Amino acid sequence: MLSESFVASTSSIEKAGSSRISKDIGIHIYNLQPSIKANSVFKKSSTPQSCLALSSTHIFAAQIEKSVVHVYSIEKGNIECIVPFPERIVSLAFSCNGNNGDGVLILGTDKGRLILWEVATGRQISTPQSHLQAVTALAISPSSSYLVSGSRDSNVHIWSLPSLLSFVSSSQSENIDSTSISPQHVLTNHRASITSVTTGHGLDISNIAVSAAMDNTCIVWNYYTGVLLRTFLFSSSPLCLAIDPCDRGCYAGFEDGSIQMIDFFDNRQSFNENLQSENPLYNTSLQPIPVQILDSDRWIPPQPDIGTALAVSLSYDGTLLFSAHRSGKIISWDISRGTFNKNIVDLELPVSNLLVQPPTGFLNSKPPLNKLHNVVKPKYEAALGVKTGDIVPADYTFSIQFLKPMPPVFFSAEEVFSSESLFDQALRHPSFPLEILEAGICELASLRISPTSNPNGQPNSTTEADVDELDEDTEMQDAETETNPKSSEIKKLKREKAELHRLLVQSRKSEKKIWHNYCKVRFEAIESRRLKDNQKRGLRARAKQSDSGNGASAKTEGASISIVGSDYDDDSGNFDSAREGDVETLRLENMKTN
């Protein structure tokens, strides 16, 4: 069944007059689909605005007026650890390409630095003080290649995440004069503190970023090139942003609780009738002209005392907008009509962050093969042994949990070209797949059969044509040595040498043919053995299921693995010994045949 949920965090710095909810509860997970209900809650957290980040396995929450981050395990439903940092954290963002929980947590500090924490390795990187004041907003591009940071100094910086995470850059950053870690673009068009930044959903070079500031402006950028595309003016300062899933526009929340929709395709913004069919964002003639957004287009909340809109977020299909307010209420808006839809929940504490999670339960969706079980606490580069000239430290380890068992598998020649790569097959095998062993043996055999090279680098092959040429040279030399008394003996030796060359070429051809036949027979025998074993295992499994009845269940737990090797025994006995016996029998049969 398709399900959708959201995560909301509250801040206890401003408490409501009367509350039925415990003040210890700070993070809430609610289901939106198929019905609205509370899923789980996490205690001991007071999270300021822009200080909540999510992965598929954990929740990261920076604490108000503190330099610590609380890490909550979604699976266990409790706090996993409390991680301290050298500076107070004022913004968070999580970069992850998959759904296994592994990724990089980016933290913005009150001193203007960025801290990057690899949660699966514990590696921690800190940038120089690029911003002059606190980093108030962070956003990650959909490809996890770019990072957008906004600060109270009114500047927006565009960073390359691969460059920040590079071991070379991090080792060079220890030098005082090094400038290798620096933003790719610095956007300076705002004139006041940045309140929010967000990025579009595209993956090409035309993707956009949107920033809002206290100077009553909202600017759209092309963060690949650092070019300003459009400037929108408001009568008050936008405090939070959310961009449409199709990048058709964005939504801004204001201090009076109202919502403003900014339509990037609004024809009223085009003053030239011939240009109304184009997207105004990419119209170079309109880029220098700011657009004034009318207050009459705002969406008015149902109650005037609902409070400031501190966070906004969109549903997966982009049909509903959710807004979190200082009064503790979370409400939804109908985007197609531009009106209030309904109240979702009232937490009766200021809701500082609201993040809608991607839906789950799609048909034919594949579960992840691994996941992050526990985060690894941050370790500075010095603790990892990074020095000048090193690339990757020797004790750089990656911790992950495999969700499925990894039994040894027989691999045939056809399976090598399946959807699973040969590297994955080798990773799951207890030793080496037979395909890799056979390929290595064949390569060694071909090197032994192949001719050597002469000192000049040219191939010195011995073929029948070379032998015939040798015969012609021999006849010419015989004519020249008729007067020599030892000519008959030399002629006889050369004839014997030519005959030996012929026999050597024929022997190598026969040896190569026999070897290929041997490999083919061995492949067929191993494939037949594998099919029989699979049939036997299937019959045993069905028999066990029928004996156990409907009440039986099997539970397989994943094991947290760094470097693990294990032997495999089936019901019939040791698997490795059986495989060696089959190979030895096959070798004896081929020797008898040959």
Side-chain angles (χ1 to χ4, degrees):
M1 180 182 295
L2 188 65
S3 62
E4 191 174 10
S5 60
F6 69 86
V7 180
S9 67
T10 58
S11 175
S12 60
I13 194 67
E14 298 180 16
K15 299 180 180 179
S18 60
S19 176
R20 299 185 301 272
I21 302 177
S22 172
K23 300 301 186 297
D24 277 340
I25 298 177
I27 298 178
H28 308 255
I29 300 180
Y30 273 81
N31 288 335
L32 285 172
Q33 300 292 341
S35 61
I36 301 175
K37 63 177 181 179
N39 189 0
S40 58
V41 293
F42 299 94
K43 298 182 179 181
K44 298 181 180 180
S45 178
S46 178
T47 309
Q49 192 176 6
S50 304
C51 287
L52 185 71
L54 292 179
S55 71
S56 60
T57 57
H58 291 83
I59 298 176
F60 305 90
Q63 301 305 297
I64 191 167
E65 299 297 334
K66 294 181 180 180
S67 58
V68 298
V69 172
H70 290 187
V71 181
Y72 300 90
S73 174
I74 298 177
E75 180 181 4
K76 298 177 183 178
N78 58 8
I79 185 169
E80 183 173 306
C81 60
I82 299 176
V83 183
F85 289 93
E87 299 177 9
R88 187 166 61 89
I89 308 302
V90 292
S91 58
L92 287 181
F94 191 80
S95 171
C96 181
N97 282 327
N99 57 348
N100 58 356
D102 166 42
V104 180
L105 181 69
I106 297 94
L107 307 94
T109 70
D110 62 341
K111 302 296 184 181
R113 300 179 187 271
L114 294 179
I115 299 176
L116 288 80
W117 170 26
E118 295 180 359
V119 296
T121 65
R123 180 178 176 226
Q124 178 178 320
I125 305 166
S126 179
T127 67
Q129 189 177 357
S130 58
H131 288 287
L132 301 178
Q133 298 183 38
V135 181
T136 55
L138 295 171
I140 308 293
S141 67
S143 62
S144 295
S145 298
Y146 289 90
L147 167 66
V148 183
S149 63
S151 171
R152 289 176 185 166
D153 61 4
S154 74
N155 292 335
V156 176
H157 291 181
I158 310 298
W159 306 80
S160 172
L161 271 180
S163 299
L164 293 176
L165 297 173
S166 172
F167 283 98
V168 177
S169 298
S170 59
S171 61
Q172 291 176 353
S173 64
E174 298 176 359
N175 302 327
I176 299 177
D177 297 334
S178 176
T179 58
S180 59
I181 299 182
S182 58
Q184 289 190 347
H185 303 288
V186 178
L187 315 178
T188 60
N189 292 73
H190 285 291
R191 294 294 180 266
S193 174
I194 305 297
T195 57
S196 180
V197 293
T198 184
T199 60
H201 302 83
L203 297 176
D204 56 1
I205 60 174
S206 61
N207 196 19
I208 60 174
V210 185
S211 60
M214 295 299 292
D215 58 358
N216 301 351
T217 62
C218 181
I219 299 179
V220 184
W221 315 82
N222 183 332
Y223 60 79
Y224 282 92
T225 59
V227 176
L228 184 148
L229 299 179
R230 207 76 168 121
T231 301
F232 298 94
L233 305 179
F234 303 94
S235 59
S236 58
S237 300
L239 302 179
C240 50
L241 291 175
I243 196 166
D244 182 79
C246 298
D247 298 344
R248 300 170 300 182
C250 66
Y251 305 87
F254 294 87
E255 188 174 2
D256 59 354
S258 61
I259 302 296
Q260 179 74 63
M261 182 181 71
I262 307 168
D263 189 358
F264 298 153
F265 292 85
D266 190 355
N267 288 334
R268 294 178 298 176
Q269 300 171 5
S270 299
F271 304 102
N272 190 344
E273 295 181 357
N274 298 327
L275 299 176
Q276 290 186 0
S277 60
E278 298 181 3
N279 184 355
L281 290 180
Y282 305 102
N283 188 343
T284 56
S285 62
L286 296 178
Q287 288 176 1
I289 305 174
V291 178
Q292 180 67 49
I293 303 299
L294 302 178
D295 291 343
S296 59
D297 296 335
R298 286 195 185 183
W299 302 348
I300 306 301
Q303 299 91 12
D305 58 346
I306 196 170
T308 304
L310 299 177
V312 290
S313 186
L314 284 159
S315 61
Y316 179 75
D317 56 3
T319 59
L320 292 176
L321 177 71
F322 303 97
S323 60
H325 297 265
R326 192 178 297 275
S327 62
K329 294 182 179 180
I330 300 176
I331 62 177
S332 65
W333 304 81
D334 189 339
I335 292 180
S336 61
R337 299 180 179 179
T339 57
F340 166 78
N341 184 26
K342 62 179 179 180
N343 290 310
I344 302 297
V345 66
D346 187 1
L347 301 180
E348 300 189 7
L349 286 172
V351 182
S352 55
N353 296 276
L354 179 64
L355 301 175
V356 177
Q357 293 180 306
T360 58
F362 287 105
L363 294 176
N364 302 324
S365 60
K366 295 182 180 180
L369 299 178
N370 50 63
K371 71 173 182 179
L372 181 67
H373 187 260
N374 292 318
V375 299
V376 181
K377 289 187 177 182
K379 295 177 288 186
Y380 290 101
E381 291 284 4
L384 287 173
V386 175
K387 299 178 181 179
T388 303
D390 292 343
I391 302 296
V392 178
D395 53 351
Y396 181 77
T397 58
F398 179 86
S399 301
I400 204 73
Q401 178 189 20
F402 289 94
L403 300 180
K404 294 183 179 180
M406 298 184 299
V409 181
F410 288 109
F411 297 105
S412 64
E414 290 79 7
E415 291 176 333
V416 175
F417 301 100
S418 62
S419 58
E420 189 177 29
S421 65
L422 189 60
F423 174 79
D424 294 334
Q425 295 175 2
L427 180 63
R428 296 173 182 275
H429 203 277
S431 57
F432 289 99
L434 294 179
E435 174 63 21
I436 293 181
L437 294 176
E438 295 291 349
I441 294 173
C442 291
E443 184 176 357
L444 292 176
S446 63
L447 292 175
R448 183 170 61 87
I449 295 173
S450 62
T452 58
S453 301
N454 57 25
N456 296 328
Q458 300 295 331
N460 187 16
S461 60
T462 303
T463 61
E464 295 181 358
D466 296 332
V467 175
D468 295 338
E469 185 179 355
L470 180 61
D471 293 340
E472 295 177 359
D473 294 339
T474 303
E475 293 176 357
M476 295 175 63
Q477 292 177 3
D478 291 342
E480 295 176 357
T481 57
E482 288 180 355
T483 59
N484 193 340
K486 296 183 180 180
S487 60
S488 60
E489 184 178 354
I490 294 174
K491 182 178 180 181
K492 182 180 178 180
L493 292 175
K494 290 184 176 180
R495 291 292 182 183
E496 291 177 357
K497 182 180 179 181
E499 186 65 24
L500 288 175
H501 276 289
R502 289 193 184 94
L503 293 176
L504 179 61
V505 172
Q506 293 177 0
S507 175
R508 289 177 175 175
K509 287 184 178 180
S510 301
E511 185 180 1
K512 188 175 181 180
K513 183 177 180 181
I514 292 172
W515 175 256
H516 286 304
N517 292 336
Y518 167 75
C519 293
K520 181 178 179 181
V521 172
R522 189 172 182 180
F523 272 130
E524 292 175 354
I526 292 173
E527 179 68 15
S528 176
R529 173 68 178 177
R530 186 183 70 84
L531 294 176
K532 290 180 181 179
D533 290 345
N534 289 340
Q535 292 176 359
K536 290 180 182 179
R537 292 191 186 96
L539 292 175
R540 293 195 195 100
R542 287 194 291 270
K544 290 180 181 179
Q545 290 178 359
S546 61
D547 293 341
S548 60
N550 296 330
S553 61
K555 182 178 180 181
T556 303
E557 296 183 355
S560 187
I561 294 177
S562 56
I563 300 177
V564 176
S566 60
D567 295 329
Y568 176 81
D569 295 330
D570 60 1
D571 297 339
S572 61
N574 186 271
F575 175 76
D576 292 334
S577 61
R579 182 178 63 181
E580 293 175 359
D582 294 339
V583 173
E584 184 64 28
T585 302
L586 181 60
R587 185 182 296 109
L588 293 174
E589 291 177 357
N590 280 276
M591 290 176 63
K592 292 177 181 179
T593 303
N594 295 330

